[in-house]
Amino acid sequence: MGPVRGGRRLLAVGAIAAALLALAPVTPGAAHGSGAEYLYSASDAYLHGRVQEVGDTDDVLLAVQFRPTVGGTVNGVRICLDLTPQQVSARLPLAAGLWAADGQALANGGAYEGIEYAAPCFYRVSMSPVRVNAGRTYVAGFWLRGGQYSYVPDGFAEQRGNTTDGHLIAPSSADATVGDGNGLYAYSPAGMPFPTQSWENADYLVSPVFTPDPH
């Protein structure tokens, strides 16, 4: 990378069986303050293009810059990993953070004795709710002990978002305003550094857990 490193093998992830689709897409009703939104859902065909970087085992913070189209709150960070719940639990503690675009830390949280899992690949770390404003850019990050993360190659060659039925936009690398693109990362054995590096538009499948204001 960064974080994918030259010569390391990419393990392609096969198609996800429809029977494992445990998370329904956010409906228009839920998008108006009655439920959490994510950049990616279990039914998102985009996830089928992900690969796992099995050769990179360094501790790393993976992140995304995003902006909500309406005001609301963020109370966690979610990531897609091709690791079993047992494998992830063996790596605890894990951590998550939220930053303003200028690098100001807004919130952080940790998973110490267990971590929330949702099929087919999602792990969530919660934090105290933080107010976010419409149109402003934020960075949500997930710190992973032992690497072996998954990502979509060239995913941020274009904008990502759930705005068909939700209110989150992740800009393309060309339109990113934090660091040198979207799909951010920072190698760190401890702590939560503000991530500013990116690599070839890679999307590390990180999402804020966002609840829009009721309206």
Side-chain angles (χ1 to χ4, degrees):
M1 185 185 167
V4 179
R5 294 180 176 177
R8 288 182 171 171
R9 183 169 59 91
L10 299 180
L11 176 63
V13 177
I16 301 169
L20 294 179
L21 299 180
L23 294 180
V26 178
T27 65
H32 287 266
S34 61
E37 295 183 14
Y38 311 94
L39 283 166
Y40 316 104
S41 72
S43 59
D44 195 338
Y46 176 70
L47 295 178
H48 298 182
R50 72 187 189 275
V51 295
Q52 185 185 18
E53 180 48 44
V54 295
D56 188 346
T57 58
D58 290 335
D59 301 342
V60 63
L61 176 69
L62 303 165
V64 64
Q65 54 185 293
F66 70 96
R67 64 180 183 272
T69 61
V70 298
T73 57
V74 171
N75 71 343
V77 178
R78 193 168 81 160
I79 192 171
C80 174
L81 298 171
D82 290 292
L83 299 168
T84 67
Q86 293 77 14
Q87 288 173 316
V88 173
S89 292
R91 300 181 181 203
L92 298 178
L94 302 176
L98 181 71
W99 294 265
D102 62 1
Q104 178 187 3
L106 301 176
N108 60 72
Y112 301 96
E113 298 180 356
I115 188 166
E116 182 179 336
Y117 169 73
C121 62
F122 296 115
Y123 295 88
R124 170 178 168 170
V125 172
S126 297
M127 61 181 66
S128 296
V130 175
R131 175 78 191 172
V132 293
N133 297 315
R136 292 192 181 179
T137 297
Y138 301 89
V139 174
F142 192 106
W143 182 78
L144 179 63
R145 188 189 305 276
Q148 297 186 318
Y149 47 83
S150 296
Y151 67 101
V152 175
D154 212 34
F156 279 121
E158 58 186 69
Q159 175 179 290
R160 298 294 163 193
N162 70 346
T163 51
T164 299
D165 49 18
H167 304 92
L168 292 172
I169 293 173
S172 68
S173 288
D175 293 330
T177 56
V178 176
D180 52 10
N182 211 349
L184 300 169
Y185 72 93
Y187 282 103
S188 174
M192 296 288 287
F194 183 57
T196 58
Q197 295 177 278
S198 65
W199 179 78
E200 296 187 0
N201 302 323
D203 180 356
Y204 303 111
L205 300 172
V206 175
S207 173
V209 181
F210 172 71
T211 301
D213 292 335
H215 62 281

